[in-house]
Amino acid sequence: MNMNRLRVITRFYDPESPIYVKLYFVLSTMLISALFLMLIWDIIIGECLQKIVVIGAGLVMFTVTTIVFVRFKNSDMGSVLVAILSSLLLLPALYFTSGGIYGSTPIWYTFSFLYIGMVLRGKRKTVLIVLMAASTVACYVLSLVFPEFVIPHTDKTMYLDVGASVIVVGIMMFLMAGFTQYIYKKENDVANARKIEIEKLNQAQNRFFAGMSHEIRTPINTIIGLNELNLRGDLPKELVDNSLNIQSASNMLLHLINDILDMSKIESGNMEINSSAYDVGKMLSDIVGMMWIRAKEKNLAFNVEVDPEMPAMMYGDEIKIRQIIINLLTNAIKYTKEGWVSLSIACRRSEASKAVVTYTVTDTGIGIKSENIPHLFSSFKRVDEENNRYIEGTGLGLSIVKEFVGLMGGRINVNSVYTKGSTFVVEIPQLIADEKRIEDIHLTHSYHTVDHKHYKQSFEAPKARVLIVDDNEANLKVESRLLAATRMHIDTASSGAEALEMTVKNKYHVILMDHLMPEMDGVECMHRIRTQIGGLCKDSGIAALTANAGGDEKMFYAKEGFDGYIVKPVTGAALEHELMRLLPPDLVRVNSDSAEEVGEYLSPVHTRRNKAPVIITSESVCDLPKRMTSKYDIPIIPYSVKTDEGIFYDDTETGTASLIRYMDNSGVASSLPPTKEEYTAFFAEQLVSANYVIHITMAKYSTEGYKNLTEAAKSFNNVIVVDSANLSSAMGLLVLQAAELARSDMPVDDIVKRLNVLKDKMKTTFIVDSPDHLAHVDRINRWVAAFSKAFMLHPLIHVSRSRIKTGGVYFGSREKVWKKYIRYSMRDYEFMDKKLLFVTYVGLRQTDLESIRDEIEKKYSFDEIIFQEACPAVAVNAGSGTFGLLYALK
């Protein structure tokens, strides 16, 4: 009978029902089963007829309610009805027919609270919990005031009734908890599966748009290239007009492709920020040159104002900043019929090496209605369609601007008066890469229009040899013909394999390398050229020549080791510009007509040098003398020291001596590691002159610093972090050995393996004069510090496996303790590398240093003993009077 009823109920259960319907169905089924069991049990133990009738009525009522509401998938109403019937009818009736507080009803009241909490949501849950509480209180009060209303239990019946209820309710609660976990796990699995499916769809979409971009750009490259060659010739006016229209239409098509590609990346969450150091003046010159032409075509005045305090070099995502400015200016020119358009750039320093750059674009165009401003940044939506229906565009430009600004942590504001004009203000935080000011830049002289009738190549290089690698024969022909007037010797290769054959036979000064080629792509080919046995082009400039567009791609090619990046479709000007930058300057003869224009392009050429295979870098806490870091060309990124007066860089903005005086006068100071952004900028700068960076650090000196370092290193494929397991000049000794290995042309992987062996040979110990600073930075307990100071105990600090710990204590006066420490450190004298011993100290006088030298030289001999003052970031943790003997074992 019971199983038949369950089968009837199960017919109405739909596995595809929402989670709350499933939960309601299962819990209600459990409740019905429990009531049925309790009905049978009460009949067996001989409960009063009134209670049996109440349970039977409740069983019928809940069964009908569950069937109806599960059938119509309305779990909310079913749960509400069950809770109301229970609180107002069933539970009060059971309470008075089964012994009151001495019966099983209080247990069922408790279960009812759990049932409401699990199956109801929102305000309904709150209301019914209150109703159930009121029902409970009412029953207790009535039984207290009118005890005659309660049908009492015999002792035997009470024990049987309560015991059975405890067991049934306990089992139900156990099953409810298990089912709830199970059903939420299933829902979570479904959600994860959908998430994976969405990610796969996003990846497929990105592949489609990237492929579409590549496939469309490849034929457009041929069209634009051949069209440019036509414009260089002496054509009739009608053909010139046709060619100019082709050029304009092609550029518009490219703009549409870029917008759609960017929007697809933004919507799929795959748009990333790729920051690097960039030349502000160069970027503005390029933008103004492009926009000035468009403004001139509409007879609009174009004004540019640049803050003279603007740094010459900034660190940010140049590609996206450039696109933001171009999109805003394009819109301003597009929607302005007469008057002017202006671009203003201002810089506000926020803190050391950081600034907020404000870009303001103002126009005297048609303006924006106030009701349309909220929709201004919506994708694929154009405001005021009636008046703007004849203006071309996709409606994506401002949406992309908004997303880019948000990604870079900036903000954008719009001020507009309809029919009077608009002002867009964009603020973007950036790092300062070079403190040199931009000063006066003559943007009006940084660009020119190309007159097709008077084309003249910007340079000639008859002794230069260039290789173009592309699997598309049409592209090879176009690119070769575009460069023909430069008189360079140009060879072509249609595959990576053919290019490798040619680089063994010929020395090419520059190689233009297509990326997507069958069998061997351009990236693999570039790496093979760099490491080619017997190859003649290991140090040649190699530029990626690709149809893949976007700032992410530029960062990708830079990380892979390309020296340049040209996006298809290429123009003669773009090819000549990149070649002038990469060719040795003594091979380039600039035409006098183009000298002024290309002067800025040639400036990097004079400082360009072949990249080093690997460069060793470290942090200021390695405590190496500047003469050594200069001798071995070891770039150092500084730690910072934070005081009540501000934050200062190690050695450059504060020195150890001034810091010790500050702390001796009760000043509080602490060391701060470089931020992730500072590490990223540092590595980007080093990779300009090296193919790989090996950065040596101590992992556990600063947990935050190591996290920042590793996160920054993940942005580059060729930055390797090595944990020295040591601090101060012992870490510096490992840095020096790494620099020696790098100079020996040892492969990068072998250098890293060697360093992981050598780091165990470095020994780092310090004897501390006063434990106060160690207690301040939580290296030792404050009570231990106070005890040590009172009894003239001097802690010995030992650094091993990246852990700083107390290795013991010495008792006595400063001079006696120093002698004991020197004897302790020299216990390994027989096994020491006698070439170099570092004595790294904090706040010692010259007489103290001479005393230490005399004590060492009494019994021990080294080729060189270097007394090195610890950097402020180390000194702040050790305190005045601290010194250590740091050395390497053989």
Side-chain angles (χ1 to χ4, degrees):
M1 180 71 176
N2 185 35
M3 292 303 298
N4 289 334
R5 185 177 291 117
L6 286 175
R7 289 192 187 99
V8 171
I9 296 173
T10 306
R11 283 194 310 145
F12 299 102
Y13 174 67
D14 181 2
E16 299 300 321
S17 299
I19 183 170
Y20 275 95
V21 176
K22 296 177 183 178
L23 196 59
Y24 168 71
F25 168 76
V26 173
L27 297 184
S28 297
T29 302
M30 290 180 181
L31 180 59
I32 292 168
S33 301
L35 287 174
F36 179 77
L37 291 173
M38 291 306 298
L39 178 64
I40 299 300
W41 179 251
D42 286 344
I43 293 173
I44 292 173
I45 66 175
E47 273 282 13
C48 65
L49 181 61
Q50 294 93 324
K51 181 181 178 184
I52 293 173
V53 171
V54 169
I55 294 178
L59 181 62
V60 174
M61 179 176 60
F62 289 157
T63 301
V64 173
T65 302
T66 301
I67 292 174
V68 172
F69 287 107
V70 170
R71 176 69 179 82
F72 293 102
K73 296 183 180 180
N74 194 337
S75 61
D76 284 348
M77 288 305 300
S79 303
V80 170
L81 185 58
V82 167
I84 292 174
L85 293 175
S86 299
S87 59
L88 297 181
L89 296 177
L90 180 62
L91 290 175
L94 281 174
Y95 182 83
F96 289 104
T97 58
S98 59
I101 62 171
Y102 301 106
S104 61
T105 309
I107 299 171
W108 287 96
Y109 262 113
T110 303
F111 174 77
S112 299
F113 279 104
L114 177 64
Y115 176 86
I116 293 172
M118 292 188 68
V119 300
L120 288 177
R121 295 167 286 174
K123 294 181 179 179
R124 294 172 179 173
K125 178 190 292 188
T126 304
V127 171
L128 287 168
I129 285 289
V130 172
L131 182 63
M132 188 64 69
S135 173
T136 306
V137 171
C139 289
Y140 274 59
V141 170
L142 285 172
S143 63
L144 178 63
V145 177
F146 305 103
E148 64 273 15
F149 289 176
V150 179
I151 299 175
H153 271 315
T154 63
D155 289 345
K156 178 181 178 182
T157 305
M158 180 186 70
Y159 279 107
L160 291 173
D161 182 34
V162 173
S165 295
V166 168
I167 293 172
V168 171
V169 171
I171 292 174
M172 287 181 63
M173 293 174 69
F174 171 78
L175 294 175
M176 286 168 64
F179 176 75
T180 303
Q181 290 179 346
Y182 167 77
I183 202 164
Y184 277 111
K185 181 179 181 300
K186 293 290 287 183
E187 292 295 326
N188 189 53
D189 291 342
V190 171
N192 288 334
R194 288 175 180 170
K195 180 181 177 182
I196 293 172
E197 184 179 354
I198 291 171
E199 288 176 352
K200 288 181 178 179
L201 287 173
N202 285 335
Q203 291 171 0
Q205 175 180 289
N206 289 337
R207 287 194 298 269
F208 168 76
F209 281 115
M212 181 189 72
S213 172
H214 179 270
E215 294 302 323
I216 293 177
R217 283 173 174 272
T218 299
I220 290 180
N221 183 62
T222 304
I223 294 170
I224 290 181
L226 292 174
N227 190 63
E228 182 177 340
L229 290 171
N230 288 337
L231 285 169
R232 290 181 182 182
D234 189 9
L235 298 176
K237 185 179 184 302
E238 183 179 353
L239 290 180
V240 169
D241 291 341
N242 290 341
S243 295
L244 290 173
N245 287 333
I246 291 172
Q247 188 179 56
S248 177
S250 300
N251 288 330
M252 178 56 64
L253 180 58
L254 286 176
H255 184 72
L256 296 176
I257 293 169
N258 289 337
D259 278 354
I260 294 172
L261 185 61
D262 285 339
M263 206 64 226
S264 71
K265 287 185 177 182
I266 290 169
E267 290 183 346
S268 63
N270 291 324
M271 182 63 75
E272 296 179 352
I273 297 300
N274 296 305
S275 298
S276 61
Y278 69 92
D279 187 327
V280 176
K282 168 74 167 59
M283 182 190 74
L284 293 178
S285 295
D286 292 346
I287 293 172
V288 173
M290 184 191 312
M291 293 296 109
W292 178 82
I293 296 171
R294 297 187 184 182
K296 185 179 180 182
E297 290 172 351
K298 295 187 69 174
N299 294 318
L300 299 175
F302 184 29
N303 306 315
V304 181
E305 295 179 358
V306 181
D307 185 353
E309 296 295 320
M310 182 79 189
M313 297 288 293
M314 298 295 291
Y315 185 84
D317 193 327
E318 180 190 1
I319 298 297
K320 291 182 177 61
I321 293 171
R322 181 187 292 257
Q323 190 167 346
I324 287 170
I325 300 173
I326 289 175
N327 281 6
L328 291 177
L329 286 172
T330 299
N331 263 23
I333 294 171
K334 187 189 300 182
Y335 291 99
T336 302
K337 294 181 180 179
E338 58 183 19
W340 50 267
V341 171
S342 72
L343 169 65
S344 173
I345 299 98
C347 179
R348 174 171 51 86
R349 306 286 179 115
S350 54
E351 52 185 280
S353 298
K354 293 183 179 180
V356 176
V357 183
T358 303
Y359 308 91
T360 305
V361 175
T362 306
D363 64 66
T364 58
I366 59 178
I368 307 162
K369 294 179 179 178
S370 57
E371 63 268 23
N372 288 329
I373 288 180
H375 308 292
L376 200 58
F377 300 104
S378 300
S379 303
F380 300 101
K381 183 177 179 64
R382 301 178 69 188
V383 300
D384 201 5
E385 287 278 8
E386 181 179 350
N387 292 324
N388 299 331
R389 62 184 182 276
Y390 298 114
I391 298 177
E392 61 191 15
T394 59
L396 289 175
L398 290 179
S399 177
I400 292 170
V401 166
K402 175 76 171 178
E403 295 293 340
F404 282 0
V405 171
L407 282 172
M408 290 185 281
R411 60 182 181 178
I412 181 169
N413 294 310
V414 184
N415 299 313
S416 184
V417 177
Y418 189 56
T419 73
K420 299 295 183 182
S422 305
T423 298
F424 287 79
V425 181
V426 174
E427 294 181 344
I428 299 176
Q430 299 174 60
L431 296 177
I432 299 172
D434 189 343
E435 292 288 347
K436 181 182 177 183
R437 296 176 183 177
I438 197 170
E439 297 179 346
D440 293 329
I441 54 172
H442 301 287
L443 297 173
T444 55
H445 299 298
S446 299
Y447 52 85
H448 70 291
T449 56
V450 178
D451 188 341
H452 67 277
K453 293 183 179 179
H454 300 94
Y455 163 78
K456 190 172 184 179
Q457 66 277 15
S458 56
F459 74 95
E460 292 182 358
K463 294 183 180 180
R465 193 158 192 171
V466 175
L467 175 64
I468 304 175
V469 186
D470 200 315
D471 63 312
N472 188 296
E473 289 294 335
N475 286 344
L476 289 175
K477 290 179 181 178
V478 169
E479 289 146 12
S480 299
R481 289 177 61 186
L482 286 173
L483 293 172
T486 62
R487 298 177 60 198
M488 294 183 297
H489 183 87
I490 298 173
D491 291 337
T492 61
S494 58
S495 68
E498 185 181 351
L500 290 174
E501 292 177 4
M502 298 177 74
T503 53
V504 172
K505 300 174 183 177
N506 305 307
K507 167 66 177 177
Y508 294 103
H509 299 100
V510 177
I511 299 173
L512 302 179
M513 180 74 67
D514 185 33
H515 180 184
L516 296 180
M517 296 186 292
E519 297 181 5
M520 184 193 304
D521 67 14
V523 176
E524 181 184 354
C525 184
M526 182 272 295
H527 286 303
R528 290 197 182 186
I529 290 173
R530 296 290 192 212
T531 58
Q532 190 177 32
I533 298 175
L536 302 177
C537 302
K538 293 181 180 180
D539 298 326
S540 299
I542 304 179
L545 187 64
T546 176
N548 292 333
D552 298 346
E553 302 297 336
K554 181 177 182 179
M555 180 60 73
F556 167 78
Y557 291 118
K559 289 178 181 177
E560 289 294 338
F562 282 93
D563 298 296
Y565 170 82
I566 307 174
V567 179
K568 295 178 182 178
V570 298
T571 62
L575 288 170
E576 291 178 15
H577 165 212
E578 193 66 11
L579 285 166
M580 279 194 293
R581 192 178 67 82
L582 295 176
L583 283 171
D586 57 322
L587 298 180
V588 177
R589 185 170 69 246
V590 179
N591 289 332
S592 58
D593 294 343
S594 306
E596 183 179 358
E597 173 199 351
V598 301
E600 61 176 301
Y601 297 151
L602 283 175
S603 56
V605 176
H606 300 294
T607 59
R608 184 180 178 274
R609 56 176 179 167
N610 294 331
K611 286 187 175 182
V614 60
I615 192 169
I616 307 300
T617 64
S618 190
E619 295 142 5
S620 58
V621 292
C622 73
D623 286 335
L624 283 175
K626 285 186 172 56
R627 63 179 177 85
M628 286 190 162
T629 57
S630 299
K631 176 183 176 182
Y632 289 97
D633 194 19
I634 302 170
I636 299 294
I637 184 171
Y639 263 60
S640 300
V641 173
K642 182 179 180 181
T643 70
D644 293 334
E645 298 176 3
I647 298 175
F648 306 95
Y649 283 126
D650 264 1
D651 290 333
T652 57
E653 296 179 338
T654 186
T656 302
S658 59
L659 179 66
I660 292 300
R661 287 194 298 271
Y662 171 79
M663 292 193 296
D664 287 344
N665 291 324
S666 302
V668 178
S670 59
S671 62
L672 296 176
T675 64
K676 177 186 173 183
E677 292 76 16
E678 288 172 332
Y679 274 121
T680 303
F682 176 72
F683 291 142
E685 181 181 353
Q686 307 316 315
L687 288 171
V688 172
S689 55
N691 291 324
Y692 285 91
V693 170
I694 296 178
H695 186 83
I696 298 176
T697 186
M698 177 177 164
K700 295 181 181 177
Y701 178 65
S702 168
T703 304
E704 179 189 0
Y706 190 67
K707 180 181 177 182
N708 294 341
L709 169 61
T710 52
E711 288 295 322
K714 289 177 183 177
S715 301
F716 305 89
N717 293 326
N718 40 7
V719 173
I720 302 166
V721 176
V722 174
D723 177 15
S724 70
N726 286 274
L727 183 63
S728 189
S729 299
M731 183 167 89
L733 283 167
L734 187 67
V735 172
L736 293 176
Q737 296 209 24
E740 290 282 4
L741 295 173
R743 286 189 170 189
S744 68
D745 292 331
M746 181 182 286
V748 174
D749 292 342
D750 291 346
I751 294 176
V752 174
K753 290 177 183 176
R754 182 66 178 154
L755 292 178
N756 284 325
V757 174
L758 290 173
K759 68 183 183 182
D760 293 332
K761 304 289 185 182
M762 307 299 150
K763 298 299 177 182
T764 308
T765 57
F766 286 91
I767 188 70
V768 179
D769 187 46
S770 171
D772 290 341
H773 290 291
L774 293 176
H776 172 68
V777 295
D778 294 328
R779 297 294 184 192
I780 62 174
N781 186 276
R782 293 185 182 275
W783 292 103
V784 173
F787 178 82
S788 299
K789 193 172 182 179
F791 289 94
M792 298 177 65
L793 299 178
H794 300 263
L796 173 69
I797 300 302
H798 181 68
V799 181
S800 177
R801 297 182 180 179
S802 288
R803 295 184 183 276
I804 302 176
K805 54 187 178 182
T806 305
V809 292
Y810 288 98
F811 171 76
S813 65
R814 172 191 271 195
E815 290 73 17
K816 289 182 179 179
V817 166
W818 285 2
K819 290 179 180 180
K820 292 178 183 178
Y821 168 67
I822 291 172
R823 287 197 298 272
Y824 165 80
S825 298
M826 292 299 164
R827 72 194 186 281
D828 294 325
Y829 178 73
E830 181 182 352
F831 306 103
M832 286 183 185
D833 184 344
K834 310 296 192 304
K835 293 179 182 177
L836 183 60
L837 172 69
F838 272 101
V839 181
T840 305
Y841 63 92
V842 179
L844 295 182
R845 297 170 298 180
Q846 186 63 35
T847 54
D848 295 329
L849 300 179
E850 290 173 359
S851 175
I852 293 170
R853 179 185 287 275
D854 291 342
E855 188 65 28
I856 294 172
E857 291 181 344
K858 280 181 183 179
K859 298 181 180 180
Y860 313 104
S861 176
F862 292 88
D863 295 346
E864 185 177 10
I865 299 177
I866 296 178
F867 285 81
Q868 173 66 28
E869 187 175 40
C871 71
V874 172
V876 76
N877 294 315
S880 182
T882 297
F883 82 94
L885 303 183
L886 301 102
Y887 54 86
L889 298 177
K890 293 178 182 177

